[in-house]
Amino acid sequence: MKGILKTDKLRVEYKGRDFRQGPKVALQGLDLEVNSGEVFGFLGPNGAGKTTTINVLLGFLPPTKGAASLFGIDVRQPIARRRIGYLPEMTYYYKFLTADELLRFYSKIFGLSGAEMDRRIDAVLNLVELQEARKRLIKTYSKGMQQRVGLAQALINNPDLLILDEPTSGLDPVGRMKVRAIIQRLKNEGKTVFFASHELGEVETVCDRVAIIAGGELKAMGKVSDVVAQHGTNLEAAFLDIIGYQPQPI
């Protein structure tokens, strides 16, 4: 396997509001490597540094120290991001558009036109099971449907790597099941999926490997089965053990 997403001793600092307290460290020497064709879960409690890591990978935030690369290219180079699709945790689309209109808009951004555009739009709408609703206004969609149209726009350029930030957040069980099925189909097509999530049951079901961070530091990384075997009876128990969570007595 070939690593297509890497971070090397990645460190990110933010300036604190109080200059006397010094900078806030969001990431402390993070080393990650995601292989081609795998589904990789990126886990951690709130404030652990997951979204900061994704922002560095997308070129939204420069690292303070260390490096990050996509397909062997430094993430600070725009060409590194041509082969990725991204779904943010909080999606906002123009609700007065239909799914078809939205995808045509994103297709043009990626330089698609004519028959190629039509083919890609049909393909992604079929994948996310929105073909029948393509002419409906997005404002009439359920939360799950809006999340799936978000996945469709992230896939319109046929990316080799998909980066998802909490893709099942706020979805009901049926919505989570459909997103999980989409991720599995993408894996079967040879795509690489890197996603941050709090839904540990989903992660345990679909991921090949996981990384767990806390306080901006990597605490564990490996095959899901290996992490579970070393730390707990299931991924949730392993996660709580790894981050050092101690339940308060009732």
Side-chain angles (χ1 to χ4, degrees):
M1 287 189 178
K2 183 180 179 182
I4 64 171
L5 183 160
K6 293 184 180 181
T7 67
D8 181 22
K9 298 179 176 58
L10 190 64
R11 183 179 180 88
V12 175
E13 298 177 358
Y14 293 103
K15 290 183 179 180
R17 294 182 179 179
D18 187 342
F19 70 92
R20 293 169 296 183
Q21 294 181 349
K24 176 185 176 183
V25 179
L27 292 175
Q28 305 184 54
L30 182 64
D31 289 325
L32 293 176
E33 182 167 354
V34 178
N35 297 316
S36 177
E38 72 177 343
V39 178
F40 191 97
F42 192 40
L43 313 179
N46 289 334
K50 302 188 300 297
T51 298
T52 296
T53 303
I54 288 175
N55 284 339
V56 171
L57 293 170
L58 295 171
F60 298 159
L61 181 68
T64 305
K65 291 182 180 178
S69 63
L70 298 171
F71 308 102
I73 303 170
D74 191 299
V75 294
R76 290 170 291 190
Q77 302 295 322
I79 192 174
R81 297 186 292 279
R82 290 183 181 176
R83 294 164 60 191
I84 69 171
Y86 169 56
L87 177 68
E89 179 179 3
M90 300 297 292
T91 58
Y92 177 79
Y93 303 114
Y94 297 111
K95 302 294 181 71
F96 56 82
L97 295 179
T98 66
D100 191 80
E101 290 168 338
L102 179 77
L103 293 175
R104 289 186 182 280
F105 172 75
Y106 278 100
S107 294
K108 291 175 182 177
I109 290 176
F110 286 102
L112 302 178
S113 61
E116 184 183 14
M117 177 194 291
D118 292 338
R119 182 183 61 80
R120 281 302 304 159
I121 291 174
D122 286 343
V124 296
L125 286 174
N126 279 322
L127 178 66
V128 302
E129 299 181 5
L130 287 175
Q131 187 69 270
E132 298 299 319
R134 64 188 297 167
K135 298 297 184 181
R136 280 174 50 189
L137 295 177
I138 294 172
K139 69 180 182 181
T140 69
Y141 282 12
S142 67
K143 168 69 174 174
M145 294 172 73
Q146 289 184 26
Q147 196 75 340
R148 282 185 280 141
V149 82
L151 277 169
Q153 69 80 20
L155 292 165
I156 196 66
N157 60 323
N158 197 22
D160 296 309
L161 169 65
L162 193 62
I163 297 177
L164 312 175
D165 195 354
E166 300 290 348
T168 59
S169 176
L171 299 186
D172 63 18
V174 173
R176 291 199 301 271
M177 179 192 69
K178 288 187 175 183
V179 170
R180 185 170 68 235
I182 291 167
I183 291 174
Q184 185 61 53
R185 289 171 66 181
L186 292 170
K187 179 185 176 182
N188 293 342
E189 292 178 6
K191 305 293 186 184
T192 306
V193 182
F194 175 87
F195 72 99
S197 180
H198 286 106
E199 303 287 348
L200 299 181
E202 304 294 322
V203 170
E204 190 166 11
T205 300
V206 303
C207 288
D208 301 299
R209 292 194 303 136
V210 295
I212 297 175
I213 66 171
E217 294 183 282
L218 181 66
K219 299 296 185 181
M221 183 167 63
K223 292 181 179 179
V224 175
S225 57
D226 292 342
V227 172
V228 169
Q230 291 171 15
H231 295 276
T233 56
N234 54 42
L235 187 58
E236 181 177 346
F239 175 81
L240 294 175
D241 180 55
I242 288 166
I243 68 172
Y245 174 75
Q246 296 293 331
Q248 297 297 318
I250 299 175

